[in-house]
């Protein structure tokens, strides 16, 4: 009698699993027969009553143990989240010293769990340049590229002088298209550099460097053109880097262009304003510089005449 009322741990586990499977519809018994509500066993004999009481107490103990383990795991996970620096999780904010429940609830309430991560403190290189904040307040959808506008916080709509029917890259080089026919020839490049105030040597050296590098990618056929024209409707093919040129040559061209741009646009303190850099992209700064160079020439001519 006593042996019948005692169950081994393995037998108990199988009974509990079978009961859960029957309740969840995963046991064959649940398919063959409809699930009936649990009923108390009839008190037929003292042994059956003792065994039923033992089974009920053991099942209840197993459920209580599982609930306790789940609560412990949840609390440990919350404490681990509390110990993490808030900057490494959300990209900003202040680490609160309150209890873990208060910290987690404050993060959820503030919406910080969905905040983009701009850097990871463990990797300092990712923290060097923080992206600007609040751009959406002055620029609608600031992350969307503008095909025909070079925008900034100060000029969210770009420069109205830039033609809206041209891409920003086409706007960048339109200054050298003197007759606005969509083609830049070597003579156009030479005259354009002279208008910007460069001397004869630099203007002459710029012609072969630019046209030997950028003419062929813009051609509409396979045969080279000895006139070395640059077609604006194919100017997107001249984007140097690692596309049709080697990376080294692209880096040299980029450094040279920015160095010349700096020499051209710097002020008396050796600085280049943000607006001038923005104007480089849509080409509006070239006309400004050309007008300044022309004004200086006129003042010198007037001074000589006096």
């Amino acid at each position: 009698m006593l042996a019948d009322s005692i169950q081994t741990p393995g037998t108990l586990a199988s009974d509990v699993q079978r009961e859960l499977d029957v309740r969840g519809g995963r046991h064959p018994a649940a398919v063959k027969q409809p699930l009936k509500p649990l009923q108390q066993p009839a008190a037929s004999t003292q042994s059956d009553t003792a065994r039923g009481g033992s089974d009920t107490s053991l099942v209840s103990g197993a459920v209580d143990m599982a609930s306790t383990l789940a609560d412990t795991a949840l609390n440990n996970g919350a404490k681990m989240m509390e110990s993490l620096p808030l900057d490494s999780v959300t990209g900003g904010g202040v680490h609160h010293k309150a209890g873990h429940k208060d910290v987690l609830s404050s993060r959820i309430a503030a919406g910080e769990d969905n905040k983009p991560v701009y850097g990871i403190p463990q990797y300092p290189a990712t923290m060097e340049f923080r992206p600007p904040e609040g751009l959406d307040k002055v620029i609608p959808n600031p992350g969307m590229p503008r095909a025909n506008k070079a925008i900034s916080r100060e000029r969210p709509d770009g420069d109205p002088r830039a033609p809206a029917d041209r891409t920003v890259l086409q706007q960048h080089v339109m200054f050298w298209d003197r007759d606005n026919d969509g083609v830049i020839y070597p003579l156009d490049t030479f005259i354009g550099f002279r208008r910007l105030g460069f001397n004869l040597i630099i203007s002459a050296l710029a012609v072969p460097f630019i046209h030997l590098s950028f003419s062929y990618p813009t051609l509409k056929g396979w045969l080279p053109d000895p006139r070395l024209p640059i077609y604006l409707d194919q100017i997107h093919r001249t984007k140097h880097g690692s596309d049709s040129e080697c990376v080294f040559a692209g880096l040299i061209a980029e450094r040279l262009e920015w160095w010349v741009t700096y020499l051209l646009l710097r002020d008396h303190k050796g600085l280049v304003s943000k607006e001038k850099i923005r104007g480089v992209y849509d080409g509006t700064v070239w006309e400004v510089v050309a007008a300044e160079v022309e004004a200086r020439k006129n003042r010198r001519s007037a001074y000589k005449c006096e």
Side-chain angles (χ1 to χ4, degrees):
M1 299 292 292
L2 181 61
D4 294 339
S5 63
I6 299 177
Q7 291 183 319
T8 63
T11 306
L12 174 62
S14 61
D15 290 343
V16 173
Q17 184 62 44
R18 182 179 182 279
E19 184 67 24
L20 294 176
D21 291 342
V22 171
R23 289 177 176 272
R26 297 186 296 272
H27 194 273
V31 179
K32 296 179 181 180
Q33 300 178 0
L35 188 63
K36 297 180 179 181
L38 293 178
Q39 299 179 354
Q40 295 293 335
S44 58
T45 62
Q46 183 178 0
S47 61
D48 293 340
T49 302
R51 182 168 54 188
S54 176
D55 291 346
T56 303
S57 62
L58 290 175
V59 171
S60 177
V63 172
D64 292 341
M65 182 179 296
S67 177
T68 302
L69 292 175
D71 292 339
T72 302
L74 180 61
N75 292 333
N76 290 339
K79 291 180 179 179
M80 182 178 65
M81 287 293 295
E82 178 189 3
S83 63
L84 290 176
L86 193 59
D87 284 345
S88 64
V89 179
T90 64
V94 180
H95 179 60
H96 301 282
K97 296 299 183 181
H100 65 274
K101 293 183 179 179
D102 296 336
V103 172
L104 292 178
S105 61
S106 64
R107 287 177 178 175
I108 296 174
E112 292 177 339
D113 285 346
N114 295 326
K115 187 175 182 179
V117 177
Y118 71 88
I120 303 176
Q122 292 84 347
Y123 304 97
T126 64
M127 305 290 294
E128 293 181 359
F129 303 100
R130 183 166 183 168
E133 298 181 357
L135 285 181
D136 54 339
K137 298 179 181 179
V138 294
I139 302 176
N141 196 0
M144 183 184 70
R146 270 65 169 177
N148 61 346
K149 293 181 180 180
I151 64 175
S152 64
R153 184 188 294 269
E154 294 74 18
R155 283 186 176 269
D157 296 323
D159 196 314
R161 293 173 297 179
D165 59 343
R166 300 292 182 94
T167 67
V168 175
L169 185 57
Q170 290 173 337
Q171 296 170 4
H172 173 69
V173 298
M174 282 182 57
F175 171 78
W176 285 269
D177 184 12
R178 296 181 299 155
D179 52 3
N180 200 27
D181 62 348
V183 184
I184 300 176
Y185 291 98
L187 183 60
D188 297 327
T189 300
F190 178 82
I191 295 176
F193 272 82
R194 291 292 291 159
R195 288 183 60 197
L196 293 176
F198 291 101
N199 57 37
L200 290 173
I201 297 177
I202 295 180
S203 300
L205 292 177
V207 171
F209 176 79
I210 292 175
H211 285 265
L212 289 176
S213 300
F214 301 144
S215 174
Y216 186 76
T218 67
L219 298 181
K220 302 179 181 179
W222 291 98
L223 295 178
D225 191 332
R227 300 174 301 171
L228 299 178
I230 298 177
Y231 291 90
L232 297 188
D233 58 350
Q234 305 285 346
I235 195 68
H236 59 277
R237 297 180 178 179
T238 65
K239 293 179 63 177
H240 32 275
S242 59
D243 45 7
S244 60
E245 301 172 292
C246 68
V247 176
F248 183 71
L251 290 176
I252 292 178
E254 179 183 359
R255 295 292 179 87
L256 183 59
E257 289 172 6
W258 278 111
W259 177 247
V260 173
T261 301
Y262 168 74
L263 295 178
L264 181 65
L265 301 180
R266 63 179 178 175
D267 57 16
H268 63 283
K269 295 182 179 180
L271 302 177
V272 180
S273 67
K274 180 180 177 181
E275 174 57 25
K276 287 184 178 180
I277 294 298
R278 191 211 59 80
V280 169
Y281 287 94
D282 63 7
T284 54
V285 73
W286 308 134
E287 293 292 347
V288 174
V289 173
E292 293 176 353
V293 172
E294 186 67 23
R296 287 197 298 266
K297 290 182 178 179
N298 295 335
R299 288 196 298 266
R300 292 172 185 172
S301 300
Y303 178 77
K304 290 179 180 180
C305 293
E306 293 178 357

